[in-house]
Amino acid sequence: MYRFFILSCMALTATLSACSTTKQAPDTSIKTSSVIAPAERKLAFAGDDAAPRMSGWHQLAGRTLEVSSLADLKLQDKEVILSFDDGPIPGRTDKVLAILDRFGVKGAFMMVGEMAEMHPALARRVAEGGNTIGSHTYDHADLTSLDFDAAMAEVVKGELAVTKATGTDVSFFRFPYLAESHRLRAAIAMRDLVVMDVDVDSKDYFAITPASVTRRTMDLLHKRGRGIILMHDIHKRTATMLPTLLSELEAEGYKVVTLKFKKTQAPSNLVASADLVTTR
């Protein structure tokens, strides 16, 4: 039975595609030694399977940005949001969490509902660590391939699954494959979910070296100067490259912003009207 469960987990992970219209290449094993350390920074290794660790204090953590809609999600120069899709999965997500903790920063985890259901303890750990929690549908469906009602059912099911697993409200959402429509986007916003767009796609789902992922991410970031970075906590190469990426961000003066949802309050005149109605 246990073997069947493990095989089921592996099969589900393999079917999860990255948040792009490009199909995901197989995730081959990447050696930690292929990570390139930034200039004048030393990486300490604890073996091939361990992520590099930086010693000393870090000044990478930036401000906490409270948003109630996409319009509030405005980053300043040299500010980034680290977002991770498709998890959680043991052996990958927990490594990402450990690296973020080491650098004193938080990420935004867009969880697939089915994955959160399978690994509720890990999902709850992500939330309890102060990271931003979002949903990514229930089984990573391309919502544009479904009719509207079926697409929204997939959104709601994923949201409820992540909420139950993490024990916290889900306030953010990202479209699988970044495939969306204006109607879906508006309907999701009506559920008080902030849609997370992507400014810098690391393409960590390609079968390339961790160093290549880091270089691509930094090159794109240099062109924009700020933005939401898309990564995936289900891939080994992501955990492998993350310490180097964070080290480079820190060396270049970037700050990692923590996202927090701010509930909108009803206008005072509406509240007063509601009170008047209830007293009659």
Side-chain angles (χ1 to χ4, degrees), residues 71-254:
D72 300 327
L73 215 167
K74 296 178 180 178
L75 298 177
Q76 299 171 3
D77 244 1
K78 294 264 183 172
E79 285 189 333
V80 298
I81 293 170
L82 307 173
S83 66
F84 301 90
D85 288 9
D86 294 356
I89 184 170
R92 306 289 171 85
T93 303
D94 41 353
K95 287 184 179 179
V96 169
L97 289 176
I99 295 164
L100 294 179
D101 286 346
R102 196 176 302 144
F103 281 82
V105 296
K106 307 298 180 184
F109 288 79
M110 306 292 110
M111 298 185 182
V112 172
E114 192 170 9
M115 297 296 285
E117 272 186 354
M118 294 171 67
H119 311 294
L122 184 54
R124 186 176 291 271
R125 180 180 164 192
V126 175
E128 291 176 346
N131 298 284
T132 304
I133 302 300
S135 61
H136 197 44
T137 71
Y138 182 74
D139 61 5
H140 207 274
D142 180 348
L143 299 185
T144 59
S145 68
L146 306 175
D147 64 51
F148 178 77
D149 290 339
M152 287 306 299
E154 172 75 13
V155 170
V156 173
K157 187 177 180 181
E159 178 188 345
L160 293 176
V162 174
T163 298
K164 182 178 179 180
T166 59
T168 188
D169 290 336
V170 173
S171 302
F172 296 85
F173 175 84
R174 179 172 281 148
F175 285 94
Y177 310 103
L178 304 181
E180 60 176 276
S181 70
H182 291 301
R183 187 182 181 191
L184 283 172
R185 197 177 183 99
I188 289 170
M190 289 293 290
R191 293 188 59 80
D192 284 335
L193 291 173
V194 177
V195 175
M196 286 278 285
D197 289 323
V198 174
D199 298 314
V200 176
D201 186 352
S202 71
K203 294 197 183 297
D204 56 351
Y205 45 88
F206 283 167
I208 55 179
T209 66
S212 297
V213 177
T214 302
R215 192 78 282 126
R216 171 187 168 80
T217 303
M218 292 304 299
D219 287 346
L220 291 174
L221 192 56
H222 289 153
K223 294 177 182 179
R224 296 188 59 91
R226 72 191 81 177
I228 302 172
I229 301 175
L230 169 62
M231 293 172 282
H232 300 79
D233 54 320
I234 63 171
H235 298 304
K236 181 178 180 180
R237 71 175 58 80
T238 304
T240 302
M241 58 75 70
L242 190 57
T244 302
L245 175 65
L246 297 184
S247 295
E248 291 201 14
L249 290 173
E250 186 175 29
E252 294 188 21
Y254 285 89

Side-chain angles (χ1 to χ4, degrees), residues 31-33 42-54 95 102 243:
K31 292 292 185 181
T32 307
S33 56
K42 292 184 178 180
L43 292 176
F45 291 88
D48 282 343
D49 292 329
R53 60 180 186 275
M54 292 298 304
K95 287 184 179 179
R102 196 176 302 144

